[in-house]
Amino acid sequence: MSTETPEQVKQMEICLQLERQNFHLNAHFHAPMKGVTALFGPSGSGKTTLLRCIAGLEKQTRGHLKIGADYWQDDSLCLPPHRRPVGYVFQKSNLFQHLTVLQNLRYGQKRTAKTQRKIYLNETIALLELENILKCHPDQLSGGQQQRVAIARALLTTPQLLLMDEPLASLDQASKLDIIPYLERLHQELSIPVIYVSHSPDEVTRLADHLVLMDQGSVTAEGEINHILTRNDLPLAHLEEACAVISGKVVKHDSHYHLTYLSIPGGTVAVSYRGFPISDTVRVRILARDVSLALSPGENSSITNVLAVTVISIQTMADPAKSLITLQLGSEQILASITRRSVHKLAISVGTALYAHIKSIALMH
Amino acid sequence: MSTETPEQVKQMEICLQLERQNFHLNAHFHAPMKGVTALFGPSGSGKTTLLRCIAGLEKQTRGHLKIGADYWQDDSLCLPPHRRPVGYVFQKSNLFQHLTVLQNLRYGQKRTAKTQRKIYLNETIALLELENILKCHPDQLSGGQQQRVAIARALLTTPQLLLMDEPLASLDQASKLDIIPYLERLHQELSIPVIYVSHSPDEVTRLADHLVLMDQGSVTAEGEINHILTRNDLPLAHLEEACAVISGKVVKHDSHYHLTYLSIPGGTVAVSYRGFPISDTVRVRILARDVSLALSPGENSSITNVLAVTVISIQTMADPAKSLITLQLGSEQILASITRRSVHKLAISVGTALYAHIKSIALMH
Amino acid sequence: MLQTIAEIDLQPVWLSLKLATFTTIFILAAAIPLAWWLHQEGNRSVKGAIGAIATLPLILPPSVLGFYLLLLLGPNGPIGQLNERFDLGSLAFTFEGLMLASFIYSFPFALQPIQNAFQTMSKGQMEAAATLRASPIDRFFTVALPLARPGLLSGATLAFAHTIGEFGVILMIGGNIPGETRVLSIAIYDHVESMEYTQAHILSAGMLIFSFLVLFILNSFHQRRGKYYL
Amino acid sequence: MLQTIAEIDLQPVWLSLKLATFTTIFILAAAIPLAWWLHQEGNRSVKGAIGAIATLPLILPPSVLGFYLLLLLGPNGPIGQLNERFDLGSLAFTFEGLMLASFIYSFPFALQPIQNAFQTMSKGQMEAAATLRASPIDRFFTVALPLARPGLLSGATLAFAHTIGEFGVILMIGGNIPGETRVLSIAIYDHVESMEYTQAHILSAGMLIFSFLVLFILNSFHQRRGKYYL
Amino acid sequence: SATVHIAVASNFSNTIKSLITPFEKQSGNSVIASYGSSGQLYAQIRNGAPYEVFLSADQLRPNLLIQDGYADSSNGFIYAQGQIVLWSPNKTNHLNKQTLISERRDGLLAIANPKHAPYGSAAIQILKQLNVYQAWKKRLITGQNIAQTQQFIASKNVSFGFICYSQVAALPPDEQGAYWLVPTHYYKPLLQQLVILKKGQHNPAALRFIKFLKSPQAQAIILRHGYLPGPMPP
Ligand SMILES: Nc1ncnc2c1ncn2[C@@H]1O[C@H](COP(=O)(O)OP(=O)(O)OP(=O)(O)O)[C@@H](O)[C@H]1O
Ligand SMILES: Nc1ncnc2c1ncn2[C@@H]1O[C@H](COP(=O)(O)OP(=O)(O)OP(=O)(O)O)[C@@H](O)[C@H]1O
Ligand SMILES: [Mg+2]
Ligand SMILES: [Mg+2]
């Protein structure tokens, strides 16, 4: 028996290959066994295919796959899909047409040992607002309703690994905002790792701890989320939604203004109140477009969060009017996107010390 | 014959009812015969159903439907779907499984008189990046690829009304950014009106000229986009993506910094360069979260656009840390979302004159 | 043995193939529209009744069915009277009569699989075709039929094979006229009855081998991955 | 007339119903797994061949098929010899023999629609079931079968009806023994042969009416909106 | 009580039913009758059918069975002799040999299959005797057996044809139409033979049944159904 370091047990090792007529999947990466690993890549880059290989749905898959301490696939072994404790939310909902919504939900739950069930029917139904449609058949549901049923159905098996293929794509903003915190809670409280495919940078940065970028069947970059988000040689930093995700510690609550103060590397910031205990570690997202730069800390402005930063690099963006500035903030890096005119006007160059005025900081978890 | 004012001919009159077991659609509104009318509403509110009724796919539909000068449905008449010159992009792609991608694209094109074709095959294929998959069958495509084929197929009939049900939901950001300007161009150059369902406020505000909010089968509000976006009694103003959309006139280009200067009600702003002729009328979107308020115009900041505004109303938002400020900007209204703490700190109240520092303004068309 | 083979009359073989081919074509031509009509929305009970009637010929023993057909076609029967009025000549004991009989008897075997195929077809593609300007008849041919291909193949296979093997009805309505109504199944039966077992064996074996090959090819079509590429 | 009705022997009716019911059950029990197996990936040509063989009995004229079955099952045939060795008793001229013959003859009619049903089933739902912990056999029963319901219904209908109507094979292998192998189709045939037309008409009419009702009900099931609610 | 299982050529089925009733009444035995064509019954007997007595429509098959040891050679005898008629359901028709000679060229003539039905080959013999076979050859409609041939004619799809006299005799008088009972010298006698099969050899009921068939009472019934009694065995 091989002795495994706890480090290894806390990882999933994915090294899978699949040959298709016009497509070659070759995915090789490690991801932590907690939190959300987001797969990000253009249409047709193989994200769905990779999830299918992990779930065991592609018989031709080669390679090996180790989830935590368990081998799911290697040279000699290949668990069939029903023995892999995954919950799979498909890109197309794939609901059972011959069953009602409730029967769909119960399908996987019944097949999970009672002792292993940690996600409960009523709670899930309430959260995903399925009360009124429990007796409907899938062909009587709207697109978003179908997607919510599919999410609930996958969750009710209390999976040890959740595979989600654009689960929120056809949901309205309000539903998304309900479901995302629930998913966050799930992978925190039940420590169910999630592999999450999404085209929405917003969803990804909200949810993900680890990012895997794919292109044409291969992994082009992967790593801790802020590292990948702020690397200006990667496409994410050049999106309109470019952002940084950094950790902070809760230091104070202000119940009057409903604010929570966080200490982050490089200063203290205020965010909308969330009931985390003092000195909890949390993560905040800072969108590049929310960061403006100034030579002075400024006063008399509605901007609450002002932090001292140093310029690390300046890059032009896809939009030639804009520059992407990578800033050192304490031990972390954040991004700012400002006009080139402002870069000139403020004479910003590498090494310049500036004040970042951050219009809005989103607290995540 | 009834004499119609040109105003009426330029409108679509939609007044449709449909009874389903647990659902009652009652949609009544007018929309302009140009530009994009967005349908917005929670999951299950009847958006897809309404599109189906407009396309003539629900036989039980009652009511009347007049598109421009043509009656499609009234008491005595109901055009069958194939006689309604719509292009419908379904929520599920509904591609023909027995045909290749190219054959799918040609299906509708072949059935359109040559003289009416104004959207061309090669151009559409190039734009939607379908070159490499023309010979594939739909079941060999990724989700996003299927969706792009469906869009192309609907467009190639050169429809007189485009119905799009979350057409970009499973597309990556880059594809979206390619397709959205194309759609804008379509409805401008060919003046094809579009009815567009989307859950993405970003897409809606980018594309729409007219907004229809639906809930539980009924229209809860409708009107010109900025009017609906900035009404703080409607849900849109309370979203994280709350914004205003206002018109401006191109006044100057700055080729050095790649900026275009626009005169908008209340001042002049700079946006990323787009090659519009001087004195063209264009629209810009100002997100509430991009607007910060200050007592002074400020200097030494990367923020380029500073405008004088007056506070019209102050509302708390769903997030109690934040306030939604409606601002008068010349003859228009825009929104700002700032912390309640800042409202206090700056002593903002109705009537206060302030400076809006706008971090980013997006030019649309 | 070789001599026996040489002496075997092959005319019934061609006649059977011709009969089965024509019958299958006519059956498909009738079963496809009927199945489609049954599939459309409308009065359920009328459709249920018509569907049931189309299946009924299955239930009667073939030679009894043949007997009733004979009564129908005879000069006193309604069809016979019609024929007489229009001076069309009798159908009994003619190849056309055989086709009519085989048609009636093999029809249900084609109808059922085709009906199923339409029923399991997703509505979405038909709707998409409608919004792409295809008229009902156009989308029937360009979408519904191609999607129903496995069902059509099955229906045609069953109707063809069953017509080849059919015998009781044909015996009754055909009168065993060489070159006109003496089909293969009757020829084999005659050999068995006359204790000419060698000929019976040879014809049966030949028929089985030929049919096996045809069915094998059809089956491979049927199962080919990507069931939609003809 | 009334007296004739009263005199009609109803035993063949029950025998036919019993035969058709048992045969249909056995056919479904065999055709469903076979269709499933044929539907799975694997060696295409082996599967094509087996599918073709299962369809072959269609092609032979029933009484010829019956003749060969007789040769097989009779005391000189291989199966007969086997039976003799193990002292199982002969199958020919027994009800069990009829079941075997009907099984072989009606099998293809059930196989084809069921195979189609599996083929047109969307793969997605089976995959979803797999990720929801359902083993292959579990998802076969809980997903594939319910989704194949229209095909199963069709297959069962065709097999049942065809067994009721079958006659050539049964006459040959069954020997027209009252109470044992004289089923309804043979009884009607006998009446026709003996020129007892009244009895033949009555039995035929009764059979048609009964079958019509059964088929009508089945058809309504079949077509019901929401094809999935049994 | 004892039971005997008999296999009867279908053309004799009506007659045998009239015979079984008195036999069962007299002997207390019961009779199970299976009907089929002689060829079919023959094949079944060779393959283990449970029949004990075989009433064939010809002599060929019983003799083959005896030859191959499936039947007892000692008890067989000719139980009836068939008579062939030219029949038409149309009363006003006048049928005789002239009909066959002078009939217009497009009429059809129904006969049983001459290859294996004895009444079929008898019909051919008659046509040949009358020298009209070539003229009719193309217009012969062959029924698989004599019953089918009768149906062809009764349904008026064919105007007349050769069937068994017993079939006409079984019809109610007003449906008997017109017929020509063909003189026996036009064809080889249609001798219908029965044999006791191996399975019935030791069944007293079987012996009793064939004994009954030889009785004057049975012979009268057979005669009434349109058959001539067979030449009695010693
Ligand atoms: N069943 C199939 N047979 C053959 N090729 C396929 C099949 N499914 C997908 N492909 C091809 O494999 C590639 C990867 O597809 P995949 O569905 O994994 O993409 P994706 O990253 O999920 O894209 P999207 O974001 O559009 O869903 C594509 O080029 C697609 O055309
Ligand atoms: N085929 C159907 N039969 C019966 N009810 C249906 C059917 N399709 C939809 N419904 C019901 O009609 C209502 C409206 O559905 P619709 O699909 O129009 O919603 P939607 O606004 O498009 O939602 P989504 O954003 O989730 O796609 C829903 O309550 C749904 O359950
Ligand atoms: Mg995908
Ligand atoms: Mg919808």
Side-chain angles (χ1 to χ4, degrees), chain C residues 15-26:
Chain C
L15 208 55
S16 268
L17 289 179
K18 184 170 138 195
L19 178 67
T21 308
F22 279 108
T23 307
T24 307
I25 291 171
F26 285 121

Side-chain angles (χ1 to χ4, degrees), chain A residues 95-104 130-142 145 149, chain B residues 21-23, chain D residues 229:
Chain A
L95 296 179
F96 300 125
Q97 296 294 322
H98 60 298
L99 300 180
T100 62
V101 167
L102 185 61
Q103 288 167 331
N104 265 282
L130 307 176
E131 297 92 344
N132 296 327
I133 55 170
L134 287 176
K135 285 191 185 129
C136 292
H137 278 253
D139 60 356
Q140 300 172 303
L141 300 183
S142 80
Q145 289 167 341
V149 176
Chain B
Q21 223 176 333
N22 296 310
F23 179 77
Chain D
Y229 323 144

Side-chain angles (χ1 to χ4, degrees), chain A residues 272 287 289 293 302 319 344, chain B residues 257 272 287 289 293 302 319:
Chain A
S272 293
L287 281 168
R289 46 184 287 179
L293 298 176
S302 67
D319 174 354
H344 248 226
Chain B
Y257 289 123
S272 294
L287 282 168
R289 47 183 287 180
L293 299 175
S302 66
D319 174 354

Side-chain angles (χ1 to χ4, degrees), chain E residues 162-222:
Chain E
F162 288 107
I163 60 171
C164 173
Y165 178 53
S166 73
Q167 292 174 295
V168 182
L171 292 170
D174 57 325
E175 286 175 23
Q176 288 188 352
Y179 59 89
W180 171 45
L181 190 59
V182 184
T184 47
H185 62 268
Y186 281 105
Y187 56 96
K188 275 192 279 176
L190 291 160
L191 302 178
Q192 307 202 162
Q193 185 178 336
L194 70 73
V195 281
I196 294 200
L197 301 168
K198 275 268 156 2
K199 293 212 161 97
Q201 244 171 353
H202 306 296
N203 184 354
L207 295 168
R208 217 170 290 141
F209 182 67
I210 67 165
K211 191 164 160 229
F212 170 76
L213 288 184
K214 292 179 197 163
S215 70
Q217 184 197 359
Q219 292 291 318
I221 293 173
I222 291 173

Side-chain angles (χ1 to χ4, degrees), chain A residues 133 136 139-145 148 170, chain B residues 20-23 41-50 91 165-166 199, chain D residues 225:
Chain A
I133 55 170
C136 292
D139 60 356
Q140 300 172 303
L141 300 183
S142 80
Q145 289 167 341
R148 283 181 278 144
S170 60
Chain B
R20 280 216 189 107
Q21 223 176 333
N22 296 310
F23 179 77
S43 176
S45 57
K47 306 178 295 296
T48 300
T49 309
L50 177 57
Q91 196 166 6
D165 202 347
E166 303 188 41
H199 287 303
Chain D
R225 194 216 143 278

Side-chain angles (χ1 to χ4, degrees), chain C residues 1-74:
Chain C
M1 172 92 178
L2 274 182
Q3 202 191 341
T4 328
I5 295 182
E7 273 171 11
I8 287 179
D9 182 7
L10 287 181
Q11 204 175 33
V13 177
W14 306 131
L15 208 55
S16 268
L17 289 179
K18 184 170 138 195
L19 178 67
T21 308
F22 279 108
T23 307
T24 307
I25 291 171
F26 285 121
I27 285 181
L28 288 182
I32 293 172
L34 179 62
W36 185 244
W37 179 77
L38 289 174
H39 161 76
Q40 302 301 108
E41 285 177 19
N43 190 325
R44 282 281 144 249
S45 45
V46 170
K47 295 195 169 172
I50 289 178
I53 288 173
T55 315
L56 274 188
L58 261 185
I59 303 269
L60 280 184
S63 52
V64 174
L65 183 68
F67 173 67
Y68 286 115
L69 275 179
L70 208 55
L71 291 183
L72 271 182
L73 296 181

